Amino acid sequence: SLSVDGGYGVAGMKRYVPFAALGRFISATELSDALTAKEIVVDVNNPKEDRSSFIEGFARTMTNEWHVGFDVAFLSDRIHFAGRWYDRKSDDAFNIYTFGKPSTSSSFAWKAAPREDIFQNVVHLENKGLELNLDAVALQKGKLNWTITGNFTYNDWTGASLLKFNPLPKFLSGIGTRLTYAGFTTELYGRGAWGHQICNLNKMYNEGLSDELYCTENAGYFSLSSAAVSYEFGIKRVKFIKSIAASLTAANLFTFSRYSGSTPDVNSFAFRGYSSLGYDDCSIAPATSIVLGISVRF
């Protein structure tokens, strides 16, 4: 069987940013320069002269995307293969504005005034690429069933000219397998990313490097994310118990990478917006966990 689909859509959001949160979107130097250019003084050490209550901002994101894809199945739906090509464009705008001005009657008082923009920054981003997904029944015979799933993504992006390196993976992949036989089940899942860099700020601090480019490293990795084994015991002698199952699940087992930091899987959506993508500032590797579970069905 074969199906083909396509689509186009536009989405967006706008949110107000109070003065206390402006630092998540703009550096302290840029904020100071913007306020100085408009002769606006915000002095947290002298509350009487603090005019921050008259300064706010807003962040706006508009995204449009088109895509075309297909889904094909073989061998009585035992093998499903799907693909999608997409092109996504985003405009991220950030404004700081003031809606007050000094009062003529007192140097320590402000009064409401028409809105005046102090700072504006617009970033244009484009992501386009290919997504592939595979679901297959590799073996099915009697009580034996073996399935395999996999996904692969290629993403090429342009924009964000202030970035000094590429923090977004060009290739993403995942692979999983599930094997069942009678009451026995085992599952494995792994994922990886390649074609991007991380700025290891810990290395820069420890070695006294002057520029982040000296501590930028390739961040490709593949990790065995989870493994699970379970067995279901059939209970026939006890009428009110249908079955008892025991399971052993492990997460975050191994990560293969040449990155020198604690983990290459650094949060790309950093707290200061796109200008901090891919910076490793004291990140902590996810803990390995092992969980033993027992379940009873009545």
Side-chain angles (χ1 to χ4, degrees):
S1 63
L2 172 66
S3 62
V4 179
D5 67 272
Y8 176 81
V10 179
M13 65 177 295
K14 178 178 178 179
R15 60 189 183 277
Y16 288 96
V17 182
F19 179 81
L22 292 180
R24 295 177 4 189
F25 299 87
I26 183 174
S27 69
T29 301
E30 289 177 313
L31 178 58
S32 176
D33 291 344
L35 298 178
T36 302
K38 293 293 183 178
E39 297 182 351
I40 297 173
V41 179
V42 179
D43 188 355
V44 295
N45 296 318
N46 296 292
K48 290 184 178 181
E49 296 184 3
D50 182 18
R51 301 157 186 179
S52 61
S53 59
F54 288 92
I55 300 172
E56 289 186 351
F58 71 83
R60 184 186 70 243
T61 300
M62 291 294 296
T63 301
N64 66 83
E65 174 185 328
W66 66 266
H67 68 267
V68 60
F70 68 91
D71 189 311
V72 60
F74 304 95
L75 303 177
S76 301
D77 290 343
R78 286 182 56 181
I79 300 177
H80 276 268
F81 184 66
R84 184 174 72 120
W85 173 264
Y86 63 88
D87 192 327
R88 182 183 306 117
K89 297 180 177 66
S90 296
D91 290 328
D92 294 326
F94 172 63
N95 281 62
I96 299 177
Y97 59 90
T98 177
F99 51 92
K101 64 181 181 179
S103 172
T104 56
S105 60
S106 172
S107 59
F108 297 118
W110 273 42
K111 63 180 181 180
R115 169 180 159 173
E116 181 181 5
D117 289 336
I118 302 172
F119 176 87
Q120 183 180 49
N121 185 35
V122 180
V123 178
H124 304 281
L125 289 172
E126 180 177 6
N127 288 273
K128 56 184 177 182
L130 177 68
E131 296 177 341
L132 300 174
N133 293 278
L134 171 68
D135 292 286
V137 179
L139 183 61
Q140 190 174 39
K141 187 175 182 180
K143 296 182 179 180
L144 180 63
N145 186 279
W146 179 26
T147 60
I148 298 174
T149 62
N151 59 76
F152 174 82
T153 299
Y154 164 77
N155 183 76
D156 187 23
W157 68 277
T158 56
S161 59
L162 295 178
L163 296 177
K164 296 182 179 181
F165 55 92
N166 176 21
L168 301 179
K170 181 165 286 189
F171 304 99
L172 295 168
S173 67
I175 185 169
T177 183
R178 187 173 191 266
L179 178 68
T180 62
Y181 179 74
F184 175 82
T185 301
T186 181
E187 296 176 288
L188 293 172
Y189 181 75
R191 60 189 177 89
W194 297 271
H196 64 299
Q197 292 83 42
I198 290 177
C199 176
N200 189 346
L201 293 179
N202 307 308
K203 180 179 179 180
M204 186 172 73
Y205 300 149
N206 294 334
E207 299 182 8
L209 302 176
S210 59
D211 192 288
E212 62 242 41
L213 292 179
Y214 295 115
C215 65
T216 299
E217 304 178 35
N218 289 328
Y221 72 91
F222 182 83
S223 66
L224 181 58
S225 303
S226 63
V229 178
S230 65
Y231 185 77
E232 183 173 340
F233 302 89
I235 305 298
K236 297 181 179 180
R237 296 184 179 180
V238 182
K239 294 183 179 181
F240 59 88
I241 297 180
K242 294 182 179 180
S243 65
I244 298 177
S247 62
L248 182 66
T249 304
N252 303 317
L253 292 173
F254 306 103
T255 297
F256 304 94
S257 176
R258 293 184 178 181
Y259 178 61
S260 64
S262 62
T263 174
D265 192 11
V266 176
N267 180 17
S268 294
F269 301 95
F271 65 94
R272 286 187 178 175
Y274 81 92
S275 61
S276 293
L277 294 177
Y279 284 85
D280 181 2
D281 192 359
C282 299
S283 63
I284 300 176
T288 299
S289 63
I290 299 177
V291 178
L292 175 64
I294 297 177
S295 62
V296 180
R297 293 178 58 205
F298 297 97

